[in-house]
Amino acid sequence: MEIKKDFSLKLHNTFGLDVKAKQYIAVTSTEEIKHILKRFYASELFILSGGSNILLTKDLEKTVVHLQSQGKELIEENENQVRIRVQAGENWHQFVLWCIEQNYGGLENLSLIPGCVGTSPIQNIGAYGVELKDVFHSCKAIHVQSVNEEEFTKADCQFGYRNSIFKNKVKGQYIITSVDFLLTKKNHQLKTGYGAIQEELSKPAYHGEVSIKTISEAVIAIRKSKLPNPKEIGNSGSFFKNPIVDLSYLAFIQKKYPEVPFYQIDEKQVKIPAGWLIEKAGFKGMRKNDAGVHKKQALVLVNYGNATGQEILNIAHQIQKTIQKEFNIQLEAEVNII
Ligand code: EPU
């Protein structure tokens, strides 16, 4: 394991921010992680995975541990299902494509999400009507103090909307080393209910075929049409969570904006798209220097080249302040601000 000093993280965060780490170590196995945890105090370390859900606002006076473990392993299978163990450093989208090639169903709606497998449970990644928890079996994680590897079942993880125990009760206490997925081998549960998927699949290019492969292709096409490719324009996907409000509050907003979109969560609450609120507040497409709000999806903050994390954070704060004032809603960042 080579320790690099004053290492630029520009290529290792999808916002493309040129922030330096005091030290940087790439690790490729659980043994290497354990070795580092025994050598450093946990408080001296910063654990980096795909870098797709962080906004780095300053240089890191820590040792960055970059998780790069690779590997997929079939743990068990029967006629209908397969359980696959995937190492934390595997690229998420490449793993999804591999599953589709094997005809393993369950992850197709989660195509083209940036990041790595190991961080997927932390915020229970979700898109187009599917969340990670729907296919999650368990994960292994090392406790940073005891350096023991422990197993977390689905119930242990306490998954919620963009939420899990790893963001709450045990935040910063564990490093996830592998994730087990339960996937279907036949009778796949195809989920096309999310508006845009059906519309996309009805295009002639799909020849009326509805399968895990075409759903993945449709999701990729939809995402490409509205979300900026981090390789071209730095971004971290949705910057904020969609706020959850009571039905009575929705009715209040509807008086002024009868067209407000919403997703029903239960009999009492709905989620309002933060992108819609931000657009209504006039921020869509705004730009200050190289920091801005994406033209096609107001929920995505972008770095056009040389923005600093602080400039992006300033826009985020300005958005939060305005939405609070105009809608009396507190937008919560989905991205981790460092
Ligand atoms: N909308 C606007 N203006 C905008 C953006 C959106 O009016 O600038 C409206 C749309 O017209 C639509 C609604 O908001 O009626 C929802 O938009 P969209 O379907 O694009 O989804 P979203 O709620 O903005 C969520 C996830 C995305 C995920 C999509 C699809 C969150 C915070 N974001 O976005 O996740 O891909 O649904 O399932 O829940 C991510 O987490 O990084 C991410 C991209």
Side-chain angles (χ1 to χ4, degrees):
M1 273 181 298
E2 191 194 346
I3 301 188
K4 296 180 178 165
K5 301 223 182 272
D6 292 325
F7 184 84
S8 170
L9 296 173
K10 190 171 167 68
L11 297 177
H12 300 298
N13 71 99
T14 57
F15 261 120
L17 297 162
D18 193 7
V19 158
K20 284 199 173 54
K22 192 172 147 204
Q23 299 200 103
Y24 169 95
I25 314 175
V27 292
T28 55
S29 68
T30 300
E31 286 64 42
E32 286 184 348
I33 299 171
K34 286 186 172 177
H35 178 81
I36 287 172
L37 287 173
K38 285 176 187 157
R39 197 172 137 187
F40 291 88
Y41 288 115
S43 59
E44 296 175 298
L45 301 174
F46 180 88
I47 310 301
L48 177 69
S49 176
S52 60
N53 208 39
I54 49 170
L55 177 69
L56 298 165
T57 61
K58 51 182 181 292
D59 287 342
L60 296 178
E61 292 300 317
K62 293 196 175 193
T63 296
V64 169
V65 180
H66 194 181
L67 306 177
Q68 298 187 347
S69 53
Q70 302 287 308
K72 300 184 274 296
E73 194 186 341
L74 194 153
I75 301 297
E76 57 185 343
E77 67 180 322
N78 61 28
E79 211 186 309
N80 303 307
Q81 275 192 320
V82 62
R83 176 175 158 198
I84 306 285
R85 177 162 305 156
V86 188
Q87 295 303 307
E90 287 275 351
N91 173 275
W92 177 266
H93 181 58
Q94 293 309 317
F95 168 55
V96 172
L97 292 181
W98 177 84
C99 289
I100 289 159
E101 261 170 42
Q102 314 301 311
N103 191 32
Y104 296 156
L107 292 170
E108 52 283 354
N109 295 50
L110 303 178
S111 297
L112 208 62
I113 295 182
C116 293
V117 167
T119 35
S120 60
I122 299 179
Q123 62 152 345
N124 182 27
I125 59 171
Y128 303 101
V130 173
E131 287 185 330
L132 175 99
K133 69 172 171 54
D134 304 333
V135 284
F136 179 94
H137 174 275
S138 58
C139 68
K140 288 189 178 188
I142 304 176
H143 189 259
V144 296
Q145 299 296 343
S146 69
V147 193
N148 289 327
E149 194 167 50
E150 296 172 27
E151 189 170 291
F152 286 77
T153 63
K154 190 163 132 158
D156 292 337
C157 291
Q158 300 173 13
F159 289 121
Y161 166 56
R162 295 294 194 274
N163 216 344
S164 76
I165 194 167
F166 301 107
K167 272 183 110 173
N168 290 299
K169 222 159 106 193
V170 300
K171 188 172 178 183
Q173 293 177 34
Y174 286 90
I175 299 174
I176 296 173
T177 50
S178 67
V179 183
D180 286 18
F181 296 88
L182 265 190
L183 303 166
T184 49
K185 287 167 68 179
K186 58 181 186 187
N187 303 325
H188 303 307
Q189 305 286 305
L190 303 177
K191 295 198 176 136
T192 57
Y194 196 96
I197 294 189
Q198 256 159 12
E199 199 185 310
E200 177 67 27
L201 283 176
S202 66
K203 291 184 181 169
Y206 299 93
H207 305 290
E209 181 192 332
V210 181
S211 63
I212 59 172
K213 188 160 185 293
T214 56
I215 290 177
S216 169
E217 286 166 0
V219 167
I220 291 171
I222 298 166
R223 288 187 77 99
K224 280 189 172 164
S225 74
K226 29 175 148 171
L227 295 170
N229 178 351
K231 288 191 179 124
E232 289 157 17
I233 303 177
N235 76 89
S236 237
S238 302
F239 195 90
F240 300 102
K241 290 187 190 181
N242 286 333
I244 294 170
V245 303
D246 285 348
L247 276 178
S248 56
Y249 196 70
L250 174 73
F252 175 72
I253 295 183
Q254 279 170 326
K255 277 191 198 148
K256 190 167 175 197
Y257 302 104
E259 77 284 10
V260 56
F262 61 89
Y263 317 106
Q264 190 95 28
I265 296 181
D266 52 36
E267 326 78 79
K268 288 191 184 136
Q269 292 185 308
V270 293
K271 239 191 294 186
I272 296 184
W276 180 87
L277 294 167
I278 299 168
E279 181 173 345
K280 277 283 165 246
F283 285 97
K284 195 170 186 173
M286 75 92 83
R287 177 173 178 169
K288 194 166 177 221
N289 300 326
D290 270 356
V293 178
H294 190 54
K295 288 187 199 114
K296 296 187 195 158
Q297 166 53 288
L299 190 50
V300 179
L301 302 192
V302 291
N303 171 14
Y304 286 105
N306 294 311
T308 62
Q310 192 56 53
E311 285 176 311
I312 292 168
L313 186 59
N314 291 345
I315 293 182
H317 285 157
Q318 208 185 329
I319 290 173
Q320 280 172 315
K321 229 166 116 185
T322 308
I323 301 294
Q324 178 74 58
K325 209 168 126 208
E326 292 192 9
F327 292 97
N328 198 20
I329 289 176
Q330 179 66 46
L331 283 187
E332 193 189 330
E334 196 217 68
V335 166
N336 293 301
I337 297 159
I338 311 295

